[in-house]
Amino acid sequence: EVQLFESGGGLVQPGGSLRLSCAASGFAFSTYAMNWVRQAPGKGLEWVSAITSGGGSTYYADSVKGRFTISRDNSKNTLDLQMNSLRAEDTAIYYCARDPGVVPIHYLDYWGQGTLVTVSS
Amino acid sequence: EIVLTQSPGTLSLSPGERATLSCRASQSVTGRYLAWYQQKPGQAPRLLIYDVSTRATGIPDRISGSGSGTDFTLTISRLEPEDFAVYYCQHYGSSPKTFGQGTKVEIK
């Protein structure tokens, strides 16, 4: 069974940093691209970032480019999102989601339950 | 970047009725790169349909997708109690993946 479990969310002050992690199990993690998608409270879905299966290429939404960094450790089956210079508008539930291909150009077939990030003073 | 506009914002229907949800793209979608997701309160989104009309694993055949070009439709032929939720369309095939703003299907 495919399972994705996010952790690392919490309360952080504006300008601060936070690192999210996603632990994957139940599938060959190293052969799938991965994504982060967020959802602000009461709002819709926003794609944030993606990474190829081998980690060699990364992609970002304009709203987070230069502030967030996606990475993965295929030896540990984990996906990370380093978030710096956080703003109030980054407040959201962050989901990790699997892309059924080696490059992240597909739909998202499995999602974790999400971790809440709150940026507030 | 393709912008997706969903309508209506809210659909009020009774169990057993037919639901028709629309997703309109700002430019033609190539390669059939259009998906639909369902989200219930407090839960993660769940993939329903990909490549415009292919049902994901375990999705019942009362749920179907159709469309081409800029106009796409998700149809639920007979609403079951578990179908009342928010539905999102998504374009993929390039970066950034974009989502529509969602349609809420509520019990009338």
Side-chain angles (χ1 to χ4, degrees), chain A residues 35 37 39 43-47 50 59-61 95 99 104-109 111-113, chain B residues 33 35 37 39 42-47 50-51 88 90 92-97 99-101:
Chain A
N35 298 256
V37 177
Q39 186 170 35
K43 303 297 184 181
L45 301 170
E46 180 189 15
W47 173 82
Y59 309 84
Y60 299 95
Y95 297 100
D99 191 302
I105 60 168
H106 305 91
Y107 49 91
L108 303 173
D109 60 356
W111 298 61
Q113 281 304 300
Chain B
Y33 294 144
Y37 301 85
Q39 188 178 33
Q43 296 185 16
R46 173 195 183 194
L47 176 68
Y50 62 93
D51 293 352
Y88 295 94
Q90 182 210 16
Y92 49 97
S94 61
S95 182
K97 303 179 199 283
F99 292 90
Q101 82 279 20

Side-chain angles (χ1 to χ4, degrees), chain B residues 5 10 14 22 24 27 30 32 46 56 66 77-78 106:
Chain B
T5 302
T10 301
S14 300
S22 173
R24 178 160 290 177
Q27 56 188 277
T30 57
R32 297 178 62 80
R46 173 195 183 194
S66 61
S77 59
R78 288 177 52 87
E106 65 176 21

Side-chain angles (χ1 to χ4, degrees), chain A residues 7-119:
Chain A
S7 61
L11 175 63
V12 61
Q13 293 188 336
S17 298
L18 210 56
R19 189 176 186 90
L20 306 183
S21 289
C22 173
S25 63
F27 65 102
F29 181 73
S30 64
T31 64
Y32 289 87
M34 295 295 295
N35 298 256
W36 288 97
V37 177
R38 69 184 179 184
Q39 186 170 35
K43 303 297 184 181
L45 301 170
E46 180 189 15
W47 173 82
V48 172
S49 183
I51 188 168
T52 53
S53 60
S57 295
T58 56
Y59 309 84
Y60 299 95
D62 287 346
S63 57
V64 306
K65 199 171 294 183
R67 300 188 299 123
F68 289 12
T69 302
I70 190 172
S71 62
R72 64 190 296 161
D73 185 337
N74 285 344
S75 68
K76 296 181 179 179
N77 290 355
T78 57
L79 173 74
D80 289 342
L81 186 68
Q82 177 66 42
M83 305 186 296
N84 298 331
S85 304
L86 283 161
R87 308 166 179 166
E89 54 265 36
D90 296 318
T91 294
I93 296 172
Y94 285 72
Y95 297 100
C96 70
R98 193 181 82 165
D99 191 302
V102 296
V103 292
I105 60 168
H106 305 91
Y107 49 91
L108 303 173
D109 60 356
Y110 288 93
W111 298 61
Q113 281 304 300
T115 187
L116 176 62
V117 173
T118 302
V119 184

Side-chain angles (χ1 to χ4, degrees), chain B residues 3-57:
Chain B
V3 176
L4 300 176
T5 302
Q6 293 186 240
S7 62
T10 301
L11 202 49
S12 298
L13 295 168
S14 300
E17 290 194 293
R18 181 185 187 89
T20 303
L21 287 66
S22 173
C23 176
R24 178 160 290 177
S26 59
Q27 56 188 277
S28 185
V29 172
T30 57
R32 297 178 62 80
Y33 294 144
L34 197 288
W36 291 90
Y37 301 85
Q38 176 194 67
Q39 188 178 33
K40 298 179 181 179
Q43 296 185 16
R46 173 195 183 194
L47 176 68
L48 297 177
I49 298 284
Y50 62 93
D51 293 352
V52 176
S53 60
T54 303
R55 276 184 288 275
T57 303

